[in-house]
Amino acid sequence: MSQSISAARVAVLVGDFHRSPAYTGLADALRELIGDGRIGYGTRLPSERDLTTELGVSRTTVTRAYAVLRDSGYAEARHGSGTFTRLPGGPTRAHDRALWPTDVSSGVIDLVCAAASAPPGIAAAYAEAAAALPAHLGGHGYYPAGLPDLQARIAASYDDRGLPTSPDQIIVTTGALAASAIVGKALAGPRDRVLMESPTYPNAVQALRAGGGRLVTVPLDPEGWDLEAIAGVLARRSPRLVHVMPDHHNPTGLVMPDRERAAYAKLLARHGATAVVDEAHHTLRLDGAPPQRPFASYAKDAVTVGSASKSVWGGLRLGWIRAPHHLVDPLVRARVGMDLGAPVLEQLVLTRLVTGEFDAVLAAHRERLRQQRDALFAALTAELPDWTFRPPAGGMVLWCRLPTAGATALSIEAERHGVLLAPGPSFAPEGGLDRYLRLPYTVPVPDLEEAVRRIAAAWRVVSVSGQSATPPRDRRAGVLVA
């Protein structure tokens, strides 16, 4: 059964829309609400009569606004049933639900997936691992907590960062998302709340709710973490888990200072909440700044999730959990209910990297990202000078603020120009953020420069018309992978 939305709720959401002319302002406001998910896909809109009464406008205003929605692909009329929301290209364009990978057509530049190609040295590591594999073929091949050598190396990396860790505190997983899902399944049941920042990486939201936990959000200020607001949510909602990305936050690029990490950890301890610390990007410092202390060095009960996909290569599907001793057993039990361990060959590859060439591989990876980041800065400054952004000190993405709301419309128009984009609402668990756009700098410099030229052309169309000129083909594009 389709959901519906009342005229009173629509009136609250559209707010004080511009009225020159009124039907255009109402249509623009509704397009933004539908595009960023605050009015969900397939929702039945209020009748023209009810919305006319609620807004205090003429019937003609609402009738013409609904007609604009239908003509631009944001609504459809169903005989005898009413007007229902849709998106140009169909339901796979519902950006708040787009969480699966897709193929990219020739000539299209993908700025949705924030993942780079493999740096030099990866093929050699695979060859060495393959040569060592026969020594493991006599066993069953199942390592629910990971190969002991790899556990030891990952534990040592935490020791090197000033966080004493024993190998039995490490659980090797098939990627960071699998690690987050294990944590969610083990530690947050249907009666528990899971606190997430907004914006945040949307796939992490789904992963941490694997055990049925209920989502609670707290806004992440563009300037950093508002600990007073976080304290209020902790007091009111009592979440069981709190997801934190303190290092090169995805998508904002923010880095949490040490003093805030200490204060945040005290808040969590006071309210009995467990931090799930996402460190997928912590190795990707690009400006030479000294690293911050691990969040878990301030929060003894924190569970930390790490990843080889960002620091090495997305095709090396390995992640890990660093957990306090008392949580290791429930986490391993939850993990066995999902799979029995990561592939042995990939674990051998990562073991060789972290014991030998990892520094060289990481240095090459950082240098490439640094060059691409700087090229993206220069291109945006030249082509879109009215866009604003905070230059990130690391990570893989740039979080742009547009002069006006319209990131969803831009992503649709940009697809017509051959660029796939992830608009701000993709990162807002409860809607909003249509004035923001995430741009990865993980593709080669010429592609980045061409992408920005295409985006600028698309933005000119959106700025003039307030909408995408022509709905693109349904290609299952614009989805989030990383």
Side-chain angles (χ1 to χ4, degrees):
M1 180 179 295
S2 298
Q3 62 181 349
S4 60
I5 186 169
S6 69
R9 179 58 179 162
V10 170
V12 170
L13 290 173
V14 299
D16 188 21
F17 57 90
H18 69 82
R19 303 197 178 214
S20 299
Y23 81 90
T24 300
L26 178 57
D28 288 345
L30 288 170
R31 266 197 302 260
E32 179 180 339
L33 292 165
I34 296 166
D36 71 17
R38 283 176 287 170
I39 299 179
Y41 184 90
T43 297
R44 183 168 63 84
L45 294 172
S47 69
E48 294 176 4
R49 182 181 62 186
D50 288 349
L51 192 55
T52 294
T53 301
E54 194 67 41
L55 294 177
V57 297
S58 71
R59 178 73 173 265
T60 301
T61 293
V62 177
T63 299
R64 295 184 69 182
Y66 277 14
V68 170
L69 291 181
R70 292 192 296 270
D71 291 344
S72 58
Y74 284 83
E76 65 177 355
R78 300 179 188 173
H79 182 69
S81 299
T83 300
F84 291 77
T85 62
R86 64 183 297 272
L87 287 171
T92 58
R93 296 301 317 205
H95 300 287
D96 57 331
R97 302 177 186 175
L99 301 171
W100 49 86
T102 184
D103 294 327
V104 178
S105 303
S106 176
V108 174
I109 302 173
D110 184 0
L111 294 186
V112 171
C113 181
S117 57
I122 302 304
Y126 267 90
E128 293 175 8
L133 182 61
H136 297 266
L137 298 179
H140 49 62
Y142 295 116
Y143 296 91
L147 284 177
D149 286 350
L150 182 55
Q151 287 179 283
R153 289 309 308 155
I154 294 172
S157 72
Y158 286 104
D159 290 338
D160 294 342
R161 296 171 60 201
L163 179 61
T165 303
S166 60
D168 61 354
Q169 289 181 262
I170 303 298
I171 304 168
V172 180
T173 66
T174 52
L177 282 177
S180 296
I182 292 166
V183 174
K185 182 178 179 182
L187 304 182
R191 296 185 178 181
D192 296 315
R193 294 184 175 91
V194 177
L195 178 62
M196 308 287 294
E197 298 154 346
S198 182
T200 193
Y201 176 44
N203 288 4
V205 176
Q206 302 300 323
L208 273 182
R209 298 180 65 200
R214 293 176 289 169
L215 178 66
V216 178
T217 63
V218 62
L220 178 60
D221 189 90
E223 302 301 315
W225 287 261
D226 185 342
L227 295 185
E228 184 175 345
I230 291 168
V233 175
L234 290 172
R236 293 191 305 272
R237 308 304 298 273
S238 301
R240 173 71 176 87
L241 299 180
V242 178
H243 184 256
V244 186
M245 270 191 287
D247 299 286
H248 312 301
H249 180 274
N250 182 8
T252 67
L254 292 167
V255 177
M256 188 183 296
D258 281 330
R259 64 182 181 278
E260 290 187 11
R261 297 179 191 226
Y264 202 152
K266 288 181 180 178
L267 285 175
L268 296 175
R270 184 182 309 153
H271 293 281
T274 298
V276 182
V277 187
D278 186 335
E279 288 193 338
H281 294 86
H282 91 91
T283 60
L284 300 180
R285 299 185 307 277
L286 304 182
D287 287 343
Q292 307 293 316
R293 289 180 58 189
F295 192 98
S297 65
Y298 300 101
K300 63 181 179 62
D301 289 332
V303 177
T304 301
V305 172
S307 172
S309 298
K310 302 303 182 184
S311 56
V312 182
W313 177 47
L316 185 61
R317 299 304 307 148
L318 290 179
W320 57 85
I321 301 168
R322 182 215 177 263
H325 284 99
H326 69 281
L327 293 180
V328 171
D329 282 347
L331 287 168
V332 171
R333 286 197 297 270
R335 190 269 172 77
V336 170
M338 299 170 72
D339 66 60
L340 294 177
V344 172
L345 179 61
E346 277 66 27
Q347 293 191 68
L348 291 172
V349 171
L350 186 55
T351 301
R352 271 148 182 77
L353 286 171
V354 297
T355 56
E357 303 300 322
F358 186 69
D359 288 344
V361 168
L362 184 56
H365 189 34
R366 285 171 171 164
E367 179 57 29
R368 180 176 53 171
L369 288 173
R370 188 179 298 113
Q371 293 175 4
Q372 292 168 178
R373 180 200 61 179
D374 295 347
L376 179 59
F377 290 176
L380 287 171
T381 301
E383 299 284 345
L384 292 158
D386 54 347
W387 287 22
T388 56
F389 53 85
R390 174 194 292 270
M396 292 181 157
V397 299
L398 185 64
W399 188 236
C400 296
R401 187 175 191 269
L402 311 185
T404 59
T408 301
L410 174 61
S411 69
I412 295 169
E413 181 63 31
E415 187 177 341
R416 295 183 63 251
H417 290 72
V419 182
L420 305 183
L421 298 176
S426 297
F427 305 91
E430 295 183 338
L433 298 177
D434 201 42
R435 200 167 180 169
Y436 289 89
L437 182 75
R438 190 190 78 168
L439 294 177
Y441 40 85
T442 52
V443 301
V445 169
D447 288 347
L448 284 172
E449 293 172 341
E450 176 61 23
V452 173
R453 285 191 287 269
R454 297 180 188 182
I455 293 168
W459 181 242
R460 287 191 290 271
V461 174
V462 171
S463 298
V464 170
S465 67
Q467 60 177 305
S468 176
T470 304
R473 299 191 311 273
D474 182 2
R475 290 204 307 251
R476 296 178 64 87
V479 296
L480 293 177
V481 182

